Amino acid sequence: MDLQVRGVNLQPTEPIVEHANRRFGFALDRLSHRIQRVIVKMSDPHAGGLMRCDVHVQLAGSPQPIIIEQSASDLYGAIDRAADRVKTCVRRFTKKTRQHR
């Protein structure tokens, strides 16, 4: 699984990048063999408002990525909520594809 952490209009600090790597690593560890790439984009769209964490997950064998958009008052909260939502969506998608085979 290729995990990339990027900042859109901000430079993520090393602790933020480590937190994102750890949270998404734990959330997607059991399903990592089905995931090609995870791109985490962090931004502060209103310079002082809610922080944003957008996640694109490309699954093996799926033409469309799973896209999650999450906002919170700080980046840690946005990353935590986005990781939980990504875990739920990826599990739901893989469960559906297993049932249809």
Side-chain angles (χ1 to χ4, degrees):
M1 174 176 72
D2 178 29
L3 177 63
Q4 301 173 13
V5 179
R6 303 175 183 168
V8 175
N9 56 357
L10 60 89
Q11 182 64 34
T13 62
E14 188 63 32
I16 291 285
V17 172
E18 288 176 10
H19 182 72
N21 284 327
R22 186 174 51 254
R23 287 290 295 165
F24 284 98
F26 286 147
L28 300 173
D29 184 45
R30 294 185 63 205
L31 300 168
S32 63
H33 63 282
R34 293 181 170 257
I35 300 170
Q36 290 179 339
R37 178 182 19 238
V38 179
I39 300 173
V40 180
K41 295 180 183 177
M42 296 174 275
S43 62
D44 185 5
H46 301 293
L50 293 176
M51 304 302 270
R52 206 175 150 97
C53 181
D54 299 332
V55 184
H56 294 241
V57 179
Q58 184 63 51
L59 297 173
S62 175
Q64 296 289 333
I66 294 174
I67 300 172
I68 300 293
E69 299 172 348
Q70 185 65 53
S71 297
S73 58
D74 66 342
L75 274 178
Y76 289 101
I79 290 167
D80 291 345
R81 290 185 187 131
D84 291 339
R85 288 183 60 201
V86 164
K87 178 180 178 179
T88 302
C89 289
V90 170
R91 283 189 176 176
R92 186 178 302 142
F93 182 82
T94 56
K95 185 177 180 180
K96 283 182 186 179
T97 57
R98 267 189 256 139
Q99 290 176 350
H100 292 294
R101 287 186 178 178

